[in-house]
Every structure is written in C-alpha cells, then in structure tokens.
Amino acid sequence: NGSLPPPSDLRVVEVTPESVTVTWDSVPEANDYSVSINSSGTYCPGGGRTIVTADHTASFTGLTWDCSYAIAVRARNLSGYPWRYSDYARVTFTTPLPDDYVFPGPPSDFHVELTPDGKITALEWEPATVGMPPLTYTVYADFEPDFGFDGPIFTGLRETFVRDDPSQPYSALDYLNGVIAAELPDRVTLWVTT
C-alpha cells in the first residue's frame, strides 16, 4: 500500500535500574524517528516522554528501578510521501533492582488499639530497620469464619500507623470496622508487611 514501514527489530540493548537504551533497524526513506517511553501497567516515574532522533538508537535516564516500561518507536518522512509516519514498533522491559539493594525486613511491635466495645481506633507498628527507602507497608486481615474476603485492607502506607482522622467524615479504619460489623467474624487476624 506504499505506507512507511515501522522500524523492525526494536530491542533493548542495555538496561540499568535508572536508564535504558534501545536500538532498531533503520527504515528506508525515514528522516528521523519518534521514540516514546511510558509506564507499562502500574504507574512508574520517568515515563511520559518523547524524543526525536535521526539515529536508530535512543536512551532514557531518570527511570525508577523495579518498574515496567514500554517504548514505542515510529519512523517519519518529512516530505510526507508516501506517508508522514509509520506504525509504531513496541518493546516492554523492567528495570532491575540496584546491585546494593537490600530487601526490607519486617516491621515490629504491631498492635491494635480498641475502644471498650471492640471498635478499632488505631493500627500501629515500629518501622522496618532494614531496607532501602522509601518503604511502604501493607495491612492484611484474615477473618474466621472465612466469608470470601481476599486481599489487603490497606496498601501503599508510608506511615508507621493507620489512625482515624476525626476531621474526615469517613476514614480507612471505618471501612475495616464496617466489614467487621457487617460480617461479625469470630476472629480477626491482622498483620503488616513491607
């Protein structure tokens, strides 16, 4: 159909915890290439950028380690003949952890504060003492008997506690207390992980 073909053999030739270099085969009649990087799936800082290059290689820095990204490359013909842009070629990759990365240790001294009638007013713990910051925490709950609840209660917590905010009409702990009040489990087990 006469259209400009997309770049072929797009591949990652080097990836570090904070950078990537890709290359591809040149496209006849292409004057330059538009190269974009974006998060692949979960948001990762460092995406949302596009560069234009006449080479058939490109590098991006400022990426986040242990994150998935997608790179899209398309060729451009400045004369607009037969077509100004090709379709995209795409490749995905995940940045590695740093060589000196230390997996986080567990938080400690996890405890629950309750009102006399059993309502949870706070979940508190001491932060992990091992691990590369910033660490986040996830609180899980297990109910007996099991009523089909699956998954964490709170995720992505950067603080060492979850506490009601009296200025807010609805808090995270209201959700947990609501589940307990609705299901009336015999036992609730809570735990926190990094």
Side-chain angles (χ1 to χ4, degrees):
N1 61 11
S3 62
L4 194 65
S8 61
D9 199 21
L10 173 62
R11 59 202 180 275
V12 173
V13 293
E14 183 180 14
V15 61
T16 75
E18 297 178 351
S19 67
V20 67
T21 299
V22 295
T23 189
W24 56 91
D25 293 344
S26 60
V27 175
E29 300 182 16
N31 298 105
D32 55 29
Y33 304 88
S34 172
V35 187
S36 301
I37 186 168
N38 288 288
S39 301
S40 177
T42 304
Y43 169 75
C44 289
R49 293 180 284 162
T50 299
I51 61 174
V52 175
T53 178
D55 297 325
H56 52 92
T57 186
S59 296
F60 291 94
T61 60
L63 306 183
T64 301
W65 43 265
D66 196 29
C67 275
S68 294
Y69 294 92
I71 289 182
V73 181
R74 66 178 177 172
R76 182 173 69 158
N77 182 303
L78 295 176
S79 71
Y81 179 83
W83 298 99
R84 192 170 183 84
Y85 290 102
S86 73
D87 289 335
Y88 283 101
R90 292 181 169 83
V91 66
T92 59
F93 66 95
T94 300
T95 51
L97 293 169
D99 289 338
D100 60 349
Y101 180 78
V102 177
F103 283 93
S108 61
D109 195 26
F110 180 58
H111 59 276
V112 179
E113 292 184 10
L114 300 171
T115 61
D117 62 353
K119 182 178 178 182
I120 298 172
T121 58
L123 306 175
E124 296 183 325
W125 58 89
E126 292 297 318
T129 57
V130 176
M132 294 180 68
L135 296 178
T136 59
Y137 300 89
T138 300
V139 176
Y140 293 86
D142 184 43
F143 301 97
E144 295 176 23
D146 182 11
F147 54 85
F149 181 88
D150 186 26
I153 296 286
F154 309 115
T155 61
L157 303 172
R158 293 185 182 270
E159 300 295 328
T160 59
F161 62 90
V162 180
R163 185 179 292 278
D164 275 336
D165 181 351
S167 68
Q168 298 296 320
Y170 185 82
S171 76
L173 286 177
D174 285 335
Y175 169 72
L176 178 55
N177 284 311
V179 170
I180 293 170
E183 300 298 332
L184 298 174
D186 296 330
R187 179 195 276 286
V188 179
T189 304
L190 298 168
W191 69 98
V192 61
T193 66
T194 49

